[in-house]
Amino acid sequence: MKVTLKIKRFNPEKDAAAWWGEYPIEAEPTDRLLDALNHVKWYIDGSLTYRRSCAHGICGSDAMLINGANALACKVLLKNLGSRITIEPMRGFKVIKDLLVDMEAFFEKYRKVKPYFVAHSPEPEKERLQSIEDRERFEDTTKCILCGACTTSCPSFWANEDYVGPAAIVNAHRFIFDSRDESREERPSILGTADGVWRCRTIFNCVEACPRGINITRAIGEVKKALLYRKF
Amino acid sequence: MIHKHDEVIVGAGGAGLMAALNLSTHGRVGVISKLYPTRSHTGTAQGGIGAALGNHEEDHWEWHVFDTVKGSDYLADQDAVEILCREAIETVYELEHWGLPFSRTEEGRIAQRPFGGHTKEFGKGPVRRSCYAADRTGHMILQTLYQQGIKNQVHFFNEYHLLDVLITDGRCAGVVALCLATGEIHTFHAKAVLDATGGCGRMFRVTSNAHSLTGDGMAVALRAGVPLEDMEFFQFHPTGIYKMGILLSEAARGEGAILRNRAGERFMERYAPTLLDLAPRAMYREMREGRGIDGKNYLHLDLTHLGAEVLDKKLPDITEFVRTHLGIEPKKEMIPIQPTAHYAMGGIPTDTDGCVISDEKNTPVAGYYAAGECACVSVHGANRLGTNSLVDILVFGRRGARHAAKFVKENDWAPLPAKPDERAREQVSRVMAASGKERAASIRDALQDEMMEKASVFREAKSLVAMRETLGELRERYRQVKIDDRGTKYNTELLEVIELGNLLDLAEVLVESALVRQESRGAHSREDFPKRDDINWLKHTLAYRTPKGVEFRYKPVTITKFQPMERKY
């Protein structure tokens, strides 16, 4: 099939402003959008810049705005995108070059919620025990690959860049609801502030954007409820 | 720019992060990574990590040793395998203590599943040894290690690409890397360097490996005069998604999935009913003899009988890959699969403390360490047992770090060479000034197609000699490469050209090593020498790059308990 990729281009060393590049190519309907981008980079314009690595939806490198919706380029097939595909960098992050954005602010927010396991009690000789039900409690939020698709699809984040954003909350949820985790005070004090969970207006864009199918709005709701009822 | 650190780790997958966590309390550690750490390929490992915890049934690490040695076709060093299997157990508990969300048993213990080649009582039947978190064990390991890295305030240099390792008179003084964001070349002066840059599967057309797996650490070591060990052994995984190579874990077979040919026959029962690592050859034979699906180069993986519960709870990711990329519902339809280039058993030779060695007498390169897929201890020998790559990265990442911690206490910085970044600058300038006609991508396409055709699952002298010639042509074309992007910021085209150079160098070593080894062992299958030959070839290859081409020395295999036997499954 013939498709045209309409890509928002910006080279900081050449361009004063972003411009649209159009690339008509021949491709298979079952090709992933990443395959098409690679074709452009490899055979038409080597300067086209984006991140990619695993090419099957696990590493989280290639989130971008595809026909107006955030997705991983390696997880959408051309046959589902029409013959004219618009590709832009994720919204709300600083664009560095073409589709490659500055992720530092994103990771800064992630680090802010203390996204790591904390336990003060002495380590047992073997594993800590956890029931199947307790393990299931936070299963959904362990799936996050930190691609940024949720946070950059969130109108609350666009309106206020200080909002920690859905991805950080998802990663806090993963520990708050882990029966083994013994941090009780720190995460609530971060997430309970004005730039924490209360900025979420349950718009559900994050849920639609998440390439891992995480029910993010529900996770945020659970954190809100835990904060209200002090269930940590 | 010159940075000074006690230790520098290159690579932030499982091995690099494990090393960083074991060093972060000992000095000033810098971790250089081509990717953001959470993008590393460890994250894609699915099936589990092997450790004889015995949570479901009796198990012993000595049984795990036997399975690993047998799986290796007796080429693994048994002293190293003993360390691997013994320390696997404490490693899994350590991960759990760091919060890794393993799946659980009814008693709340770490859940374990059966896995191809893992047996009880030295081969008497399958055992549940693979500790898992659904089918995303690698994702959980990578995330957990990175989270602990944040907790321990590890200093990361994200998106820096390794260009050179500085070795003078058997002593390592640091590395040189390209900062992708700025295009600047940085020298990292370090008392100790630990290389954890991963594999090189991108030299093959069909591979489970990420685009980034271009063997950067191995190639840089090779060019710095370090030999590469056992590069002829490259593992093909039987169940990659047709054409794309995306892996469908052996966990699928562990849960009961079946390989079928065009007649619907469970053909593996004719070859080796219990071990999937022999499957790639069986699959090639089936396809060659016209029993591929529709006569083509693929077969079917059948999950339809496993039921929704198993697929949803235990294999959620791989069923999703199939739905996304093939539009197939694995609960109802069979999945087209073919062997996919998966794992390099060979790599930078090390001892059991991760110290890089430079010859058959185990002479160390002081201050230089390697761990994970880029290294060869050797715990995998001629063929890696499933789940052992995750064990390897963690056990030897940690051991390398611990030895390095001791080394930096006892040693000062080695002096930097006068112009430490000279070679790296030349390499980058050469590419940036390239004015040829050849697209790197077309050279890479040719490399991948030809390697798949001539040096993959089956090899023979004729195909390997032909590949040698092809590589000569490709190297010539590489000298005529062209580049569109002359910028400095995030020049990923420059990066791809450098990566291609690494792949070409490593492909040469693989092909030459495979040509010399006149036997079939593990993943190295010579049609002109179909039998294993212990009299002449029970030894490790050490391949050196010299001005006259690749030269070889050989290193004996360490055998402790298990004498070589014929490998039957």
Side-chain angles (χ1 to χ4, degrees):
Chain A
M1 65 188 274
K2 281 190 173 19
V3 292
T4 299
L5 306 187
K6 193 178 159 207
I7 306 173
K8 198 171 194 178
R9 304 287 310 263
F10 173 69
N11 182 338
E13 296 172 88
K14 277 189 184 165
D15 305 325
W19 53 280
W20 290 94
E22 298 213 1
Y23 307 90
I25 60 166
E26 190 61 43
E28 297 290 323
T30 50
D31 283 349
R32 297 158 283 190
L33 178 63
L34 179 62
D35 299 320
L37 287 171
N38 285 340
H39 182 83
V40 174
K41 179 171 183 65
W42 294 344
Y43 292 103
I44 300 170
D45 180 358
S47 72
L48 178 65
T49 302
Y50 48 91
R51 292 190 180 94
R52 85 288 178 272
S53 188
C54 81
H56 65 285
I58 300 295
C59 77
S61 298
D62 61 350
M64 49 190 76
L65 194 62
I66 301 162
N67 285 347
N70 275 354
L72 300 178
C74 62
K75 269 193 96 168
V76 283
L77 306 189
L78 293 183
K79 64 180 179 187
N80 300 322
L81 292 172
S83 60
R84 219 177 136 72
I85 307 166
T86 313
I87 306 148
E88 301 163 71
M90 287 188 281
R91 284 188 191 131
F93 293 159
K94 189 179 159 232
V95 176
I96 296 180
K97 187 175 178 183
D98 296 338
L99 303 169
L100 190 146
V101 295
D102 186 350
M103 296 292 288
E104 270 312 312
F106 175 78
F107 278 99
E108 180 58 41
K109 286 176 178 154
Y110 165 73
R111 290 192 290 266
K112 207 167 155 185
V113 302
K114 303 197 180 294
Y116 43 76
F117 186 75
V118 177
H120 309 294
S121 56
E123 284 168 1
E125 192 192 335
K126 295 185 173 178
E127 68 270 58
R128 289 188 177 82
L129 300 183
Q130 184 170 50
S131 71
I132 291 171
E133 296 69 35
D134 283 347
R135 168 63 181 78
E136 189 62 26
R137 184 70 190 82
F138 63 102
E139 163 68 11
D140 202 30
T141 47
T142 63
K143 295 189 295 201
C144 176
I145 54 175
L146 298 166
C147 65
C150 59
T151 297
T152 57
S153 70
C154 173
S156 302
F157 169 73
W158 299 335
N160 185 336
E161 60 177 9
D162 292 329
Y163 171 38
V164 293
I169 302 171
V170 160
N171 283 279
H173 178 283
R174 178 254 170 271
F175 291 101
I176 290 168
F177 292 94
D178 185 337
S179 58
R180 302 167 300 166
D181 190 88
E182 294 171 5
S183 167
R184 289 291 175 268
E185 300 302 323
E186 290 170 301
R187 289 188 204 107
S189 70
I190 299 157
L191 293 168
T193 62
D195 292 325
V197 289
W198 307 113
R199 291 223 178 267
C200 167
R201 300 286 189 272
T202 60
I203 297 161
F204 285 89
N205 277 12
C206 53
V207 179
E208 282 184 28
C210 179
R212 302 290 285 150
I214 302 171
N215 192 335
I216 301 173
T217 305
R218 185 174 67 194
I220 296 174
E222 288 175 353
V223 174
K224 283 179 178 171
K225 211 182 268 179
L227 278 172
L228 276 178
Y229 299 104
R230 301 203 166 279
K231 280 190 179 159
F232 280 95
Chain B
M1 188 183 282
I2 295 181
H3 306 262
K4 201 166 182 180
H5 288 268
D6 285 345
E7 305 97 352
V8 164
I9 295 165
V10 192
L17 290 172
M18 189 67 173
L21 291 173
N22 277 277
L23 280 171
S24 61
T25 51
H26 291 276
R28 252 169 45 81
V29 190
V31 180
I32 299 170
S33 174
K34 178 157 81 167
L35 308 167
Y36 272 90
T38 58
R39 317 296 184 216
S40 305
H41 208 54
T42 295
T44 64
Q46 297 164 1
I49 172 166
L53 306 186
N55 281 355
H56 296 267
E57 55 190 317
E58 184 182 355
D59 197 8
H60 300 279
W61 65 264
E62 292 89 344
W63 296 353
H64 188 186
V65 172
F66 172 78
D67 296 334
T68 302
V69 170
K70 184 179 174 192
S72 82
D73 221 347
Y74 295 90
L75 193 71
D77 290 311
Q78 296 184 16
D79 54 342
V81 177
E82 286 170 19
I83 291 169
L84 179 90
C85 299
R86 202 172 54 227
E87 294 190 8
I89 297 168
E90 62 186 71
T91 303
V92 167
Y93 290 139
E94 185 169 37
L95 291 173
E96 199 283 332
H97 295 161
W98 286 341
L100 194 139
F102 283 106
S103 296
R104 297 286 168 162
T105 67
E106 292 292 335
E107 297 78 38
R109 300 206 166 275
I110 293 168
Q112 298 182 278
R113 60 160 58 110
F115 218 86
H118 287 276
T119 70
K120 57 183 144 196
E121 296 174 71
F122 310 104
K124 284 203 181 132
V127 70
R128 298 177 70 163
R129 186 179 293 143
S130 172
C131 310
Y132 66 93
D135 58 354
R136 29 181 181 262
T137 314
H139 166 76
M140 301 298 195
I141 289 176
L142 185 67
Q143 296 289 330
T144 300
L145 294 176
Y146 182 61
Q147 290 155 1
Q148 291 297 310
I150 291 171
K151 188 179 178 186
N152 286 287
Q153 299 182 323
V154 172
H155 188 173
F156 290 104
F157 293 86
N158 296 325
E159 304 190 318
Y160 280 68
H161 174 75
L162 176 69
L163 290 173
D164 201 3
V165 58
L166 304 171
I167 299 169
T168 314
D169 300 330
R171 172 78 169 96
C172 180
V175 293
V176 182
L178 176 72
C179 171
L180 297 177
T182 62
E184 286 167 3
I185 291 173
H186 293 238
T187 298
F188 292 83
H189 191 193
K191 288 181 182 176
V193 167
L194 189 142
D195 187 337
T197 48
C200 54
R202 279 282 152 179
M203 69 172 76
F204 295 100
R205 165 60 63 206
V206 178
T207 178
S208 63
N209 284 202
H211 285 289
S212 340
L213 288 173
T214 51
D216 307 329
M218 297 180 197
V220 159
L222 180 74
R223 291 194 291 261
V226 174
L228 294 180
E229 181 175 349
D230 293 343
M231 290 296 282
E232 60 271 42
F233 299 102
F234 204 102
Q235 183 170 58
F236 281 74
H237 193 289
T239 53
I241 293 181
Y242 181 46
K243 285 188 178 168
M244 283 177 267
I246 298 169
L247 194 74
L248 302 177
S249 166
E250 256 181 69
R253 274 243 322 184
E255 300 295 347
I258 297 165
L259 284 173
R260 296 185 189 278
N261 62 18
R262 71 185 296 177
E265 183 204 0
R266 302 175 66 145
F267 62 90
M268 280 306 295
E269 302 201 338
R270 278 188 276 119
Y271 298 88
T274 61
L275 192 73
L276 211 57
D277 83 56
L278 301 176
R281 265 165 279 159
M283 292 167 74
Y284 262 60
R285 292 223 161 87
E286 288 297 296
M287 296 187 289
R288 226 185 250 183
E289 288 161 22
R291 291 190 291 276
I293 310 301
D294 300 334
K296 290 186 188 155
N297 272 339
Y298 69 96
L299 293 152
H300 273 146
L301 184 70
D302 185 359
L303 272 60
T304 57
H305 56 292
L306 297 183
E309 171 86 10
V310 168
L311 294 187
D312 293 341
K313 292 276 179 208
K314 293 188 171 171
L315 304 169
D317 272 13
I318 68 171
T319 50
E320 198 207 314
F321 296 148
V322 173
R323 283 184 201 122
T324 304
H325 296 287
L326 297 168
I328 281 177
E329 176 45 62
K331 287 173 189 167
K332 295 189 188 130
E333 297 166 81
M334 292 196 272
I335 308 162
I337 47 129
Q338 71 182 144
T340 181
H342 188 47
Y343 189 86
M345 268 71 73
I348 304 167
T350 73
D351 65 15
T352 54
D353 285 316
C355 304
V356 174
I357 56 160
S358 59
D359 59 26
E360 68 281 12
K361 291 175 211 130
N362 290 330
T363 309
V365 181
Y368 189 23
Y369 297 80
E373 192 173 340
C374 72
C376 181
V377 184
S378 155
V379 288
H380 308 305
N383 189 51
R384 180 185 62 87
L385 188 68
T387 79
N388 273 0
S389 59
L390 292 177
V391 189
D392 178 18
I393 57 176
L394 300 170
V395 166
F396 290 98
R398 181 174 53 204
R399 288 181 70 89
R402 286 184 179 167
H403 196 277
K406 202 161 147 268
F407 181 87
V408 301
K409 266 190 200 156
E410 293 163 359
N411 292 276
D412 204 350
W413 281 270
L416 281 177
K419 291 180 185 163
D421 57 1
E422 190 176 25
R423 254 189 323 204
R425 281 188 191 283
E426 273 172 21
Q427 186 187 12
V428 169
S429 324
R430 209 164 40 235
V431 179
M432 292 300 282
S435 55
K437 292 190 193 117
E438 291 281 355
R439 290 242 172 230
S442 51
I443 303 171
R444 188 175 53 223
D445 280 349
L447 170 72
Q448 292 171 336
D449 286 335
E450 297 292 321
M451 284 295 286
M452 205 71 198
E453 183 69 30
K454 294 173 179 151
S456 61
V457 173
F458 283 109
R459 297 137 177 203
E460 57 184 330
K462 205 172 124 196
S463 70
L464 292 166
V465 168
M467 191 64 217
R468 170 194 278 167
E469 281 165 24
T470 303
L471 282 170
E473 290 158 20
L474 293 177
R475 269 196 303 277
E476 189 47 47
R477 288 174 60 187
Y478 185 69
R479 282 190 272 276
Q480 309 298 324
V481 79
K482 74 176 266 189
I483 187 158
D484 295 333
D485 193 341
R486 309 269 177 191
T488 54
K489 292 187 178 169
Y490 280 103
N491 190 335
T492 51
E493 190 184 23
L494 163 68
L495 177 65
E496 288 192 18
V497 174
I498 294 171
E499 290 173 329
L500 172 62
N502 292 341
L503 290 176
L504 286 168
D505 285 350
L506 296 175
E508 181 186 19
V509 174
L510 186 150
V511 166
E512 295 298 333
S513 303
L515 186 57
V516 177
R517 186 176 282 272
Q518 296 187 334
E519 65 157 354
S520 289
R521 180 187 299 272
H524 173 64
S525 192
R526 284 281 300 256
E527 292 195 277
D528 41 356
F529 297 95
K531 289 249 158 61
R532 195 176 82 195
D533 176 0
D534 287 337
I535 294 168
N536 294 303
W537 288 104
L538 186 59
K539 58 188 180 185
H540 298 291
T541 307
L542 292 177
Y544 295 78
R545 185 185 159 99
T546 77
K548 287 179 279 175
V550 181
E551 290 188 356
F552 296 98
R553 293 189 201 174
Y554 291 91
K555 196 169 89 109
V557 175
T558 306
I559 292 170
T560 56
K561 293 201 185 88
F562 303 108
Q563 289 303 317
M565 298 186 302
E566 192 186 351
R567 212 163 63 117
K568 277 189 184 160
Y569 285 96

